[in-house]
Each structure stands twice: as C-alpha cells, then as structure tokens.
Amino acid sequence: MNEWSLIPLFWGTLIFLLINAFACLWRGLAGPTLPDRILAANVIGTKTMVVLVLLGLAREQGIWLDVALVYGLLSFTVTLVAGRLLETGRLKGAWKQ
Amino acid sequence: MSAVHRWVQLSTALFVFWLVLSMPLDLSDLLWGLPAAVAAGGLAGAFLWREASPGIGARRVAGLVFYTFDLVRQIVPAALQVARVVLDPALPLDPKMIVHRTPLDDDLERVTLANTITLTPGTHCVDLDGDRVTVHCLSPSFAASLIDGSLDKRISTSIGGVERDE
Amino acid sequence: MNRRRAGRILTAVLIAALAVPLMYGMVQLPAPGHADAPAHTNVSAGYIERGAELGGSENLVTGVLLNFRALDTFGEVLVIFTAWLAVAAVAGTASNAERDPVPPSPVVDYVIRLLGPFIAIFALFVIVNGHVLPGGGFQGGVLLGAMLILLSLVMDAETVARAVSARSWIWLRATGVLVFAMVAVMGLPLAGYLFGLPDEPGLRQVLTVALELGIGIGGGAVLAGLFFAIAGADRS
Amino acid sequence: MIDAAHALLVCFLVIAGAAFFFIGTLGLLRFPDFYTRIHAVTKCDALGAGLVLLGLAIWRGPDGEGVRILALIALLLISSPTAGHALARAAFRTGLKPWTRNDGERDGEIPGDASERD
C-alpha cells in the first residue's frame, strides 16, 4: 500500500528510545529520593511500551500490540502501587473509610 | 439513574471495547463478547459504581473527545516553552506551590481538571481534596490560565454542559 | 561507602552486560512459525504437520500446551496454587484489614474504577482468544491479578468482603486446578484416556476455552492472593 | 503524491514524538528536585508517546491495528497523568519539600546537582 517504506525510521526511533531509556536508568540509580527512583522506572516503562509498538510495526507482527497494551497496564499498576506504598508506608488488601 | 440503566450503559461501553480489540470481527467474537460485557458491566455496576454512575453518557463521551483535541492544541505551545526551559543552560526555574479552589463539583469534571493540569506543561497537580487543588508550577507564569478560572470554564463547557447525562 | 559505590557500578555493568546480549538475541529471534527456525527443523516438523489437526486449536502452542503436554501444564497450575498455599501458610491471609490513615487520591480512585472493567474485558479477551492468538490463560491471569491489585487500592474492605467472601476466594484460587482435573477426567468417557479431547471440533474448542478460563481466573486470583498475603505480612 | 504526503506526516509525527522523549529524558536528568523532574517527565512522555503512536496509527490506517493503537493512546492519556499525580501526591503527603529558587542561590548550588538532598 505504501510506496515509501518507513521501516528504517521505526528502527531508528526504536534505538533512539532505548538509548533514552538507558539514560533514564541513571536517575533510577542516583536517586536521591525514593520517588525519583519510582519515577525513573515509570519513565522507562512508557518508553518500553512505545518500543514494543514500534517493534510490532517494524516486524509486521500485530501481536506485539497486545503485548504493549499488557505492558502499559502493568507499568501503570506498578507505579500506582509503589506510590501507595510510599504514601501509607505499607501495602494493604483493602482500604476502609 | 437506575441500576438497570447503569448496567446497560457500562455493558455497552465494554462491548464496544471488546469489538475494537477483536477487529477484524467474526461471529465467535460477538458470541464471546456479549456475555463477557454483560457480566463485567453487571459486576462493575454492582460493586464499583454502587452509589453513583461514572457520569459518562454519549454526550459526555463526545465532549471528552472534543476536549482532548482542544487539550492537545493547548499543550503543544506550552510544551515548547518547557522545552526551552529544559534546554536553557541556566535552567530558569522558579517553582511555586499554589492552591486553587475550583468551582467544578462533579467527579469527572474534577478528575479531568486534575489530569489537564498535570498534562499542561509547567503545572502539575499534586493534591486534590474536595475543591482544593494543590498545584506545583515551574514558574508562576505557567499557572495563569488556572488562576483566572478559564481552565475551569473550558472544562465545564466541554463536558459539564447545560444538562447532565445522568 | 566506596565499596557500596563500587558494588553499584558493578551491578550496573553486569545488568548492561546482560541486557545487550538479550536485546541482540531478541532482534535475532526467528519469526514465530518460520520453518527455518532451529526449533522447528527437528521434532516439531511433525507437530507442524499434524498439530493443528490433533491439538484441537488453531494456535499450535496452545494445542501443545493444553493437549499434547496437558499433564505438564496441569503440573504448572498446581505449582502456582501450591505457591499461594505456602505463602498463605507462612504469611497469613490478611483478611482483617485495619483502618488506613491516608485515603487514596480521588483522581486515582475515579480512574481505577473507570479502567477496572475495561482491564477485566481485555483479560477475558486474551484468555478466550488464547487458542487463536499467542497468549491465553496465564497472560490473561496476570491481567486479572493486576486488576484485582489495582481495585484493592481504592475499594473499601466491606465492599470487597461483600463481593467475594474469604471462603469463595479459596475456591476461586483453586479454579485452575479444579477445571483441569475435571477436563482430565472427562477425557476418559469422551476419548478413552485422561486429558483426551473429543473429536468433535466444537466441543473441543469449548473445552479448550474452559481450560484457558480456569487457568486465567485461578491464576489471577492466586496472583492477587500472593500480593495480599505479602502486603498483609508487611504491616506488623 | 498522497503517499508521499502521508509518509511525510508520519515521519514528522514520529520524529517530533522522539524529540519530546529526548526532552523528557533531559529534564529527568537535569532538573533540581523530584517535583520539577516529574513535570518534565509526565508531559514529555505523554506527548512524545502520544505523537509517536498517533503517527503509527496514521501509518497503519483504519484497520484493526490502527484502531488498537488509538486505544493505546487513550489508555496513555488517562494513565500517564494519573500515575504522575499519584506519585507526586505520595511524595507531597510524606513531606518531601519542593526545591525553590532561593535554595539554589543560598547554597550557591548548581541546579541539577541534587546530591545533597536526600
């Protein structure tokens, strides 16, 4: 359908995002506070999600999209649970008003 | 709004989502999707939205889609401003915490306000408690549209509307 | 201090050293189902030729997992359930949640309530389509577990107790094992041996999806149960 | 001609998204404290991922995958600010003090060097 192939662009973007994600690891390593580290993990999660979608399109395999959706949801869960752990100092089965 | 109405509303939204997931469609997708959506919608209505509905009807969905485009139009120029701050070697930051009292009184409107503040470059919603919104801004100039109330007004015209969907 | 720093740098180097070959390996992965892939040139030729016909599933992996190697998969489901039993025995089940000082943010509360049913539908979609697409019970179970964990952040204890009593949690967690055992025994009259699936394609598909649903629901409940047990043990 | 314009639009969106990702990374590494970092990160990530995914959705056209990418964008637009807000609120409620201009000037500290705050 497309006479122009954009696959090289996708691979380039993918590699660029991976380099970015590795740079973000520095903040996760250096901190200095716990929220900073959680934030770094969150950022890397978003980048990974986009990388998964790019990988799916570059390799013409639609299943990566579902993987990306699952990954995005899990990364969201991790950030919220980590934030809640930070906020209350403990994890809880249920919250009671 | 009655429980049955809520059930139908939630299940319809879930069924549409199922159809989006299973494109291209065939008959077995419909056969599996319908009971799954009805069951999940019923459970959600019974346990998650027992006291109230999410407050999203067809009109509000349209309003939200419209609002999203509006939001993107606001975000891009402000993002460029923040980009300038990040790239500036001197980092011209002057962070401030401000408290804003919002006239919006509906859950969805307040959540939209908080997420709009967070997505708008230069401001970040730190806490939402009743009508008190605590906002961290990179410099006071970024919060102008929040303080003068034009953000609240824009949200209430897009998704508040003259009459509620409920 | 210096040793700690050195340890950190060493860790970072080791992780990078691990990540680079992993990424290289992932790019080198042959396309799924490609005939030249090393995994496919030997034994699996037979699977590829007759797997779809004998396995009772459009997806070869699912056919192998749920039919040819059903006993192995049954073992995996048992292992997951046993893991929860062991953790629950050591850590307790944390059913008596006490008052939590900080209420969750209204934004988080609203968004989780809004997204929760959609996550559940997506999980069911992954489970039900496991026989066509890669994925299936275990992955859908992870999603269900994530949804339960998310909901537990914003739901109050009474609603949770009303939705699922402590007793039915145990049955939910055992769903995978129970469904598997049932299908295994049903194989005796239907096909003449344990784990046998009948020849009729429609019935075969229903049984496969039932297995996937059992794995998914049981797995999700077990995952959430592990989280709750560990979370409960943390607050001394 | 249509094809060329289509491809150029996709190129533009993907590259613009990648640029925002880069700015977000830079902000995460350069900004002086947690609150300012989370600013850079939530915005640039949501916008960067949104633009890249929008470009990809346009490239795929209105088939199953294109629509699924749109669903992914919708998820991102809801989840990303919510996660950012939850994290900032957790930090705020546990008493993490925001950095202000005066701190930097008083200590003669270079913004971006946060090694003293713990």
Side-chain angles (χ1 to χ4, degrees), chain B residues 82-145:
Chain B
V82 172
R84 205 173 308 137
V85 174
V86 176
L87 295 172
D88 192 324
L91 274 183
L93 291 173
D94 187 14
K96 288 265 162 9
M97 281 283 191
I98 57 171
V99 175
H100 172 68
R101 283 186 177 274
T102 172
L104 304 172
D105 58 354
D106 176 78
D107 276 349
L108 176 67
E109 288 172 4
R110 281 186 182 162
V111 169
T112 312
L113 175 69
N115 280 352
T116 305
I117 292 172
T118 307
L119 275 179
T120 311
T123 56
H124 193 105
C125 176
V126 168
D127 207 345
L128 173 68
D129 188 7
D131 66 343
R132 285 167 51 93
V133 192
T134 312
V135 178
H136 184 268
C137 41
L138 283 184
S139 71
S141 62
F142 284 114
S145 75

Side-chain angles (χ1 to χ4, degrees), chain C residues 27 35 42 60 80 88 98 100 116 121 136 167 193 203:
Chain C
V27 172
N42 298 324
L60 201 59
I80 292 179
E98 62 197 64
D100 199 324
I121 280 286
R167 191 179 287 265
Y193 52 98
L203 193 56

